[in-house]
Amino acid sequence: MLHKTTGKRRDIAIASPPRRRFVSKKSLAQHFELSLRSVDRLLADGTIRGYRMGPRALRFDLDEVEQTLTQSVVDYGTRREVD
């Protein structure tokens, strides 16, 4: 881009979106220490989202799944008094 008055070029920093880290079902299961059936269940009930990369390949965004799973963790540390 050129400066209006001087006509000299100036560089503009443009932030690029973060790159997605797509992984296979097997890699996802290993990363989170889950079984392949657990990954299938999470996909079937809509907890996590899979992306088709061609007619057969299904991939998962590792950062997206990590964010989803950490938000769904329930805090069991609180106690309630029972009368």
Side-chain angles (χ1 to χ4, degrees):
M1 178 176 242
L2 297 177
H3 192 273
K4 286 182 182 180
T5 56
T6 63
K8 293 183 180 178
R9 182 175 175 199
R10 61 180 176 168
D11 293 324
I12 298 175
I14 299 174
S16 61
R19 285 190 67 113
R20 292 178 146 193
R21 297 185 301 165
F22 288 108
V23 295
S24 67
K25 180 169 59 170
K26 184 177 180 180
S27 296
L28 184 73
Q30 289 174 344
H31 181 79
F32 290 105
E33 298 179 3
L34 299 170
S35 69
L36 292 176
R37 283 191 69 188
S38 293
V39 174
D40 287 336
R41 274 190 232 112
L42 291 169
L43 183 61
D45 69 14
T47 304
I48 62 174
R49 185 186 324 182
Y51 297 92
R52 286 272 172 215
M53 302 289 179
R56 295 181 62 191
L58 181 65
R59 297 291 183 256
F60 301 89
D61 183 348
L62 191 59
D63 296 324
E64 184 179 287
V65 173
E66 190 169 280
Q67 183 180 14
T68 301
L69 294 181
T70 55
Q71 285 177 352
S72 64
V73 173
V74 178
D75 181 21
Y76 291 105
T78 59
R79 292 185 120 182
R80 290 187 348 200
E81 294 288 329
V82 179
D83 293 330

